[in-house]
Amino acid sequence: VMALLRASPHGVLDLNECVTILAAPKGVVLSICNILEGVGLVEVKTMNIVELVKSPHGVAVRNSELVYKQQEQVRAELSHIHTEEAILDQWIAMLSKQTVPRSIPASDIV
């Protein structure tokens, strides 16, 4: 049902068409729509018409695929940053184990 809503031009779906496309009993489609309405994803306009709900920012929920892709990109970037951080931590640990003179005598400074 959500795929059909996302694919519709204005985020509006006729449930009779949905029943035909999905070859599902109307009662099942209505139950799914009731659940989607309950979680705030769709709004029932009439007995046979449902519409995607818009977020407070005016972005239709059908754009959630774009949001999902952006989240995946951020997750990948974060994973890369964690890997770089681990490498830097290893370098810091390795370098801190090396002996470094605490002070250099003034006579050695040119």
Side-chain angles (χ1 to χ4, degrees):
V1 174
M2 286 301 292
L4 293 174
L5 277 164
R6 286 187 189 117
S8 67
H10 301 288
V12 177
L13 182 63
D14 182 327
L15 296 181
N16 291 322
E17 291 177 19
C18 181
V19 166
T20 303
I21 293 168
L22 297 177
K26 190 164 185 177
V28 171
V29 172
L30 289 172
S31 294
I32 292 169
C33 289
N34 285 336
I35 292 168
L36 294 174
E37 182 182 30
V39 296
L41 292 177
V42 300
E43 182 179 316
V44 177
K45 292 297 189 179
T46 67
M47 190 168 149
N48 291 314
I49 304 292
V50 294
E51 181 178 18
L52 279 170
V53 173
K54 296 189 181 204
S55 72
H57 305 291
V59 178
V61 176
R62 67 176 171 266
N63 291 336
S64 63
E65 289 178 28
L66 174 62
V67 171
Y68 176 77
K69 288 179 184 178
Q70 290 171 339
Q71 287 174 340
E72 287 301 310
Q73 289 173 343
V74 169
R75 283 187 187 107
E77 185 178 343
L78 184 61
S79 175
H80 179 72
I81 290 169
H82 282 299
T83 302
E84 287 181 343
E85 180 184 24
I87 292 168
L88 290 172
D89 287 343
Q90 289 174 353
W91 273 103
I92 291 169
M94 184 178 69
L95 292 172
S96 67
K97 290 179 183 177
Q98 293 181 353
T99 55
V100 178
R102 294 186 186 262
S103 63
I104 301 172
S107 61
D108 290 348
I109 300 175
V110 179

